[in-house]
Amino acid sequence: MIALVISPEPQFRRAQCASLIASHTDREYFVCDDTMLTAGELVQYAVPSLFATAPLLIHAKFLLADSDLADTTLDTLAESDTIFLCEEYALPAALIKKIQSRGATLAQEKGVSKSTSSRSTIFSAAECLTAKDKKSRWLAYRSAMNEHAIEAVLPILYWKLRTLIPTDRSGKYRTLYRDLITAQERAWTIGAPLEALVEKVILQS
């Protein structure tokens, strides 16, 4: 079974995911993200181990957006007794339709922002990674911060970097991706302001 939760806003995703998880407390719960495995590797959980004491609930975070899932892989996930809770901030409409055609449930927030310009701001935050000069990168970042929380913007930055890394021969974007992860871990560990740490990474890029 596949359950999709899609929104750029972390509050919506957390609430929807928590609701589904709470309704399946009888299952063994595992979390994975794009730093741990690929979407295609989820199939290893489709058939639980013989040593499993309960059916599985796999919480897969941000694995689908940049994947090219084969139909056979989707079929395997959809037909499995394992619940694959796939959390994403955005997915192409064609991919959502493709997954839903296999019986997936969908929780997707509509009208997240108050206006079209506000909706575009969160995705234009990616300009803080690609603008040619430091001032333009900083202005793009501050513009995004004026409209959205860092917890909503950071997943957009990760998504953009994952699209840039495959064609980046210099390794710049891979380094930037790792630096953002380090900044996020540091914020959790020492309680430093995440917004300021991310801003520092961007200005140093």
Side-chain angles (χ1 to χ4, degrees):
M1 171 186 171
I2 302 173
L4 292 174
V5 174
I6 305 171
S7 173
E9 298 297 333
Q11 295 88 345
F12 177 85
R13 297 198 310 271
R14 281 197 294 266
Q16 293 295 322
C17 290
S19 176
L20 189 146
I21 293 165
S23 64
H24 294 284
T25 55
D26 59 323
R27 291 176 174 263
E28 289 192 49
Y29 174 66
F30 296 98
V31 182
C32 56
D33 61 27
D34 60 322
T35 66
M36 300 167 63
L37 75 168
T38 65
E41 291 172 329
L42 286 173
V43 294
Q44 65 186 291
Y45 298 108
V47 180
S49 165
L50 294 175
F51 301 101
T53 58
L56 302 177
L57 194 165
I58 305 299
H59 188 172
K61 296 185 175 184
F62 317 122
L63 292 182
L64 303 183
D66 302 311
S67 65
D68 185 16
L69 283 173
D71 289 344
T72 53
T73 299
L74 280 178
D75 291 340
T76 299
L77 300 181
E79 295 168 5
S80 173
D81 288 334
T82 298
I83 296 176
F84 293 94
L85 170 56
C86 297
E87 179 182 347
E88 299 285 340
Y89 34 81
L91 282 182
L95 180 55
I96 294 174
K97 184 176 180 180
K98 184 177 181 180
I99 297 174
Q100 280 191 293
S101 71
R102 288 164 170 81
T105 62
L106 172 65
Q108 183 175 19
E109 190 171 25
K110 301 294 186 180
V112 173
S113 302
K114 294 181 180 180
S115 66
T116 301
S117 60
S118 182
R119 284 197 296 273
S120 65
T121 300
I122 194 167
F123 288 100
S124 66
E127 293 176 14
C128 71
L129 305 172
T130 57
K132 293 182 179 180
D133 60 271
K134 183 178 294 188
K135 180 179 179 180
S136 296
R137 293 197 297 273
W138 180 79
L139 288 174
Y141 181 71
R142 294 318 313 169
S143 177
M145 288 297 92
N146 288 337
E147 296 288 343
H148 305 280
I150 182 60
E151 290 82 5
V153 171
L154 192 55
I156 301 298
L157 302 186
Y158 285 137
W159 160 76
K160 183 62 177 181
L161 286 170
R162 288 198 301 271
T163 66
L164 294 170
I165 286 172
T167 57
D168 175 30
R169 295 183 179 181
S170 69
K172 169 187 174 181
Y173 293 121
R174 187 177 298 276
T175 298
L176 187 52
Y177 189 92
R178 291 171 179 168
D179 287 347
L180 286 177
I181 291 176
T182 299
Q184 189 171 14
E185 291 176 344
R186 188 168 173 231
W188 290 338
T189 302
I190 66 175
L194 179 57
E195 181 177 329
L197 292 177
V198 171
E199 182 174 14
K200 184 177 180 180
V201 170
I202 290 170
L203 292 179
Q204 290 177 342
S205 63

